[in-house]
Amino acid sequence: MAKLRLGVLASGRGSNLQAIIDNIEAGKLDAEVAVVISDKPAAYALERARNHGIPDKYINPGEFPGKAEYEKSIVECLKENRVELVVLAGYMRLVGKVLLEAYTNRIMNIHPALLPSFPGTHGQRDAVEYGVRFSGCTVHFVDSGMDTGPIILQAVVPVMQDDDEDTLAARILQEEHKVYSQAIQLCAEGKLTLEGRKVRIGG
Ligand code: GRF
């Protein structure tokens, strides 16, 4: 059976990308990373792609008059590489209309908190500061909001008394590396169905 073709968008170090690549190489994930795209030329995610012979592309948002044109260029690259599922892995931009319309309900994101709590760029810090006893991570489909799309999977970790943003982030990251591949595998197996804003997982 043909493998699900992934297009990974990443702005930074790319540890989630690495976990996905490792799970594919270990035979635990029936997918293929078709291309890695970054909005940052120095993103280590691009180097991780090259290390594994995966096509990589830096697309400079500054080269375009606006978000729509920038995203058109992303969509072109995704289509050229026959991407079926877009995977945001530390992509630090809000997805706009052009990308959303090209890949409606075919874009996933991972967020380092138990949504709908603590959306935004400081999920781990916000959880520590609020004093919750548990936090975790959420894999969700992407819609036009900030971390608001239908939830696919979540994993929970305890928050310890002495945690700071970094210690909690490290504990959550271990779970991210497992749960993101699990969600992608469910998609590869055709087991995810959207019912309104609920995701049904089934055979
Ligand atoms: C992760 O914490 C992820 O949840 C968030 O951005 C971070 C990306 O880390 N969306 P990495 O680049 O995958 O290491």
Side-chain angles (χ1 to χ4, degrees):
M1 224 173 72
K3 292 193 183 289
L4 180 70
R5 292 179 69 79
L6 311 178
V8 178
L9 267 56
S11 303
R13 64 186 169 182
S15 74
N16 275 288
L17 165 67
Q18 188 66 55
I20 290 165
I21 294 171
D22 292 346
N23 282 324
I24 290 172
E25 291 183 354
K28 293 184 201 158
L29 175 53
D30 299 317
E32 184 178 339
V33 181
V35 65
V36 174
I37 301 173
S38 184
D39 58 338
K40 298 268 186 274
Y44 188 57
L46 292 171
E47 199 168 322
R48 292 185 195 268
R50 291 194 285 275
N51 290 341
H52 290 265
I54 297 165
D56 68 291
K57 182 148 176 143
Y58 160 54
I59 301 182
N60 179 2
E63 271 178 22
F64 301 90
K67 194 178 183 98
E69 293 80 4
Y70 162 62
E71 288 199 340
K72 259 180 216 161
S73 159
I74 293 180
V75 169
E76 223 167 79
C77 179
L78 294 169
K79 297 283 179 193
E80 266 166 28
N81 287 283
R82 289 175 289 120
V83 165
E84 297 164 295
L85 178 70
V86 180
V87 174
L88 308 186
Y91 178 65
M92 301 305 287
R93 284 170 191 276
L94 204 58
V95 173
K97 203 165 176 272
V98 170
L99 186 47
L100 279 172
E101 282 179 1
Y103 282 91
T104 307
N105 300 326
R106 302 294 287 178
I107 307 174
M108 281 187 192
N109 181 44
I110 189 156
H111 179 74
L114 294 176
L115 292 172
S117 291
F118 313 123
T121 40
H122 300 289
Q124 304 98 328
R125 189 175 77 193
D126 293 346
V128 169
E129 283 178 0
Y130 196 94
V132 289
R133 297 294 184 198
F134 292 92
S135 189
C137 53
T138 304
V139 183
H140 63 92
F141 285 119
V142 172
D143 64 11
S144 58
M146 165 86 88
D147 304 320
T148 51
I151 290 169
I152 303 166
L153 291 178
Q154 294 184 303
V156 178
V157 305
V159 180
M160 306 303 188
Q161 308 260 65
D162 299 326
D163 266 338
D164 59 22
E165 180 181 359
D166 294 336
T167 54
L168 178 61
R171 193 172 309 117
I172 292 173
L173 197 61
Q174 289 187 346
E175 297 305 313
E176 291 186 35
H177 292 167
K178 294 180 226 160
V179 84
Y180 215 172
S181 290
Q182 288 165 5
I184 296 166
Q185 179 64 23
L186 288 169
C187 180
E189 291 172 2
K191 288 187 177 160
L192 300 179
T193 321
L194 261 180
E195 291 174 1
R197 68 154 291 119
K198 288 192 186 164
V199 178
R200 176 173 287 278
I201 301 175

